[in-house]
Amino acid sequence: MTGRVREAAWAVGGGVPDTVTGFLRALGGPAVLRVPGRDRTRVRAISTLLHGDEPSGIRAVHRWLKDGPVPATDVVVFVGAVAAALEPPGFALRHLPGRPDLNRCFVTPCAGEEGAIAAEALETLLAARPEALVDLHNTSGRTPGFAIGRSARSGLLCLASLFVRNFMDSRGRSIGSLVDAVGDRFPSVVVECGRMGSAEADQVAGQGLARYVTAPDLWAACLPDARIQVLGDPVRVLVAPGTRLAAAHRPEAGVDLTVLPDLDRWNFSDVQPGQLLGWLGSGRGWPLRAWNDSGRDVSRELFVPTPGGEVRVARPFSAVMFTTRPERAVGDCLGYACRRLSPATPGSPTPR
Ligand SMILES: [Zn+2]
């Protein structure tokens, strides 16, 4: 332990600052909060603010600590990128400039501060031996809330159903995140509550968190008839390195690809052949990449150029996390093309 992650005991209702910013200032940096519950023999874990511009989770935690209720079991909460979140104007930076993304530092620890924070937080969370972990995030584009798990097994669907009705099966592909590092030690899911800054996303986080902390038996809390829509086989759609990208309703001059500025309306819908993605610029060749499980680029199976310079959808897929922000599309990805699997019924009580 290097002491980069502070540990603090907080009781529900006990002297919590009025504003979420005041609360983050009181934490002073990455922190693990220990909140006593009615049953002191069991623990549930929450992590949030691993990205400094994703406020729904920390807002929900703050409101819960201020107003209650007392949780059914002890709860440990890891709050990550406090410094990035506090940078003016607040909740504007995913991570501090020039520093790595904290949520890529858990499996192979990054050098420096973020690596040390990730290692320490992981050690603390594993040592707590929680029944489950829920990691609360926001997306940059409009989307219904959804969960991401390493497989669509019943324990993870159950956990997800406390928050959302959509689930993406990542098939265990690691991005170095906290949930990847936890692996199969205990059930853990990422919950993408919805677009950062939206009231709907804050509501998904708040209502889900209340269900998660108050359920006397977590595995009985998911309604037997709750149905979760499961998407799988995600193919990450990228723009080729060096691509100049714009988002607009008509082709922009001087760029390689213009995408429609409301691509996020695709999210969790079934995208059909012929739908317009955008327009090619002149000259620089095919700007899209989409790597499937075998490492083959299937971008030309998903999308097709027209003689008039448009790019249209070539085969149906279910869209997840399509973004409207060019800098996010270039730095990360444009979105994921998934396959809709049959709806599953969560509620099988035993996480395996
Ligand atoms: Zn995030």
Side-chain angles (χ1 to χ4, degrees), residues 38 48 52 101 107 112 127 205 209 216 221 230 254 256 258 263 281 288 290 298 304 345:
R38 295 186 197 285
T48 193
D101 179 334
V107 174
L209 185 128
V230 181
D256 306 309
T258 305
L263 277 186
L288 295 174
V298 295
V304 63
T345 304

Side-chain angles (χ1 to χ4, degrees), residues 1 14 42 47 59 84 111 135 151 182 244 279 319 324:
M1 287 288 175
R42 292 183 293 146
S47 55
R59 285 181 181 151
D135 184 21
S151 73
V182 166
R244 292 165 301 169
W279 299 268
T324 52

Side-chain angles (χ1 to χ4, degrees), residues 7-301:
E7 291 222 23
W10 289 77
V12 166
V16 180
D18 280 339
T19 65
V20 69
T21 304
F23 178 49
L24 290 177
R25 289 210 184 95
L27 297 182
V32 168
L33 322 179
R34 293 185 187 273
V35 185
R38 295 186 197 285
D39 178 352
R40 303 295 320 269
T41 68
R42 292 183 293 146
V43 183
R44 289 172 198 163
I46 297 166
S47 55
T48 193
L49 208 63
L50 299 193
H51 296 136
D53 57 352
E54 299 177 10
S56 288
I58 190 66
R59 285 181 181 151
V61 167
H62 172 251
R63 262 195 319 274
W64 164 53
L65 289 176
K66 260 181 77 63
D67 301 336
V70 172
T73 69
D74 282 6
V75 178
V76 291
V77 186
F78 171 55
V79 186
V82 173
L86 284 174
E87 277 291 307
F91 297 118
L93 297 181
R94 184 174 172 92
H95 51 79
L96 292 173
R99 304 272 284 272
D101 179 334
L102 177 61
N103 205 29
R104 299 291 180 273
C105 290
F106 284 91
V107 174
T108 310
C110 314
E113 189 77 6
E114 281 71 17
I117 292 166
E120 217 177 296
L122 180 63
E123 189 183 331
T124 305
L125 289 169
L126 295 182
R129 302 174 65 87
E131 296 179 326
L133 166 74
V134 175
D135 184 21
L136 298 171
H137 288 254
N138 289 107
T139 53
S140 60
R142 260 175 307 182
T143 181
F146 65 100
I148 308 169
R150 291 165 51 80
S151 73
R153 64 180 206 232
S154 62
L156 302 190
L157 292 177
C158 175
L159 209 47
S161 80
L162 299 172
F163 289 82
V164 292
R165 292 292 175 267
N166 295 296
F167 187 96
M168 187 167 93
D169 177 355
S170 72
R171 303 186 70 178
R173 260 188 276 179
S174 173
I175 54 167
S177 70
L178 173 56
V179 163
D180 291 324
V182 166
D184 295 327
R185 289 183 181 88
F186 43 82
S188 65
V189 292
V190 170
V191 175
E192 298 282 357
C193 299
R195 183 168 60 174
M196 48 184 68
S198 74
E200 293 83 356
D202 289 352
Q203 196 174 20
V204 165
Q207 292 180 348
L209 185 128
R211 284 188 280 267
Y212 180 62
V213 299
T214 57
D217 177 352
L218 211 45
W219 313 114
C222 28
L223 298 173
D225 60 346
R227 293 175 71 79
I228 294 245
Q229 192 63 242
V230 181
L231 301 183
D233 299 337
V235 172
R236 194 159 175 245
V237 180
L238 314 165
V239 292
T243 300
R244 292 165 301 169
L245 186 75
H249 282 291
R250 60 184 62 81
E252 290 265 309
V255 302
D256 306 309
L257 176 66
T258 305
V259 295
L260 288 173
D262 52 359
L263 277 186
D264 56 359
R265 79 192 190 291
W266 284 4
N267 287 326
F268 282 93
S269 74
D270 295 324
V271 179
Q272 298 300 331
Q275 279 187 247
L276 183 66
L277 175 87
W279 299 268
L280 295 170
S282 52
R284 287 197 37 165
W286 183 243
L288 295 174
R289 303 287 182 269
W291 306 106
N292 72 2
D293 261 355
S294 334
R296 193 166 61 82
D297 179 9
V298 295
S299 60
R300 285 174 178 276
E301 295 166 28

